[in-house]
Amino acid sequence: MGAKVEERPDGLRVEGRSAGKLHGTEIDPRGDHRIAMAFAVAGLAAQGETRILDADCAGVSYPRFFEELRRLASS
């Protein structure tokens, strides 16, 4: 997406782009619901399409996440 992401023992540090917008890409959350949800939100701000593989993994903590995200994004 063009952002610098640093993996840490307790999570991630995401540094946004200082110049330009994020760009859409394919994200593989590897079953991590937090990654799927975080990058789905980032995808809303990105230019181009963002595709999240195994997006249903978000249902672990928020079964209606994508339904709600679509609702909010269309408001």
Side-chain angles (χ1 to χ4, degrees), residues 40-41 43-45 65-75:
V41 172
L44 295 175
F65 175 77
F66 285 101
E67 180 182 328
E68 292 293 322
L69 187 62
R70 276 189 285 279
R71 184 182 65 78
L72 292 169
S74 66
S75 299

Side-chain angles (χ1 to χ4, degrees), residues 8 15 29 31 38-39 59:
R8 294 182 169 188
E15 186 177 318
F39 283 92

Side-chain angles (χ1 to χ4, degrees), residues 6-13 34:
E6 175 187 342
E7 185 176 1
R8 294 182 169 188
D10 61 344
L12 299 174
R13 178 177 183 271
R34 300 162 298 177

Side-chain angles (χ1 to χ4, degrees), residues 19-56:
K21 293 191 85 158
L22 296 173
H23 59 270
T25 191
E26 186 174 277
I27 302 292
D28 185 356
R30 298 184 181 185
D32 189 320
H33 57 111
R34 300 162 298 177
I35 298 295
M37 292 187 290
F39 283 92
V41 172
L44 295 175
Q47 292 179 336
E49 181 180 353
T50 297
R51 181 172 177 234
I52 301 175
L53 305 175
D54 187 30
D56 290 341

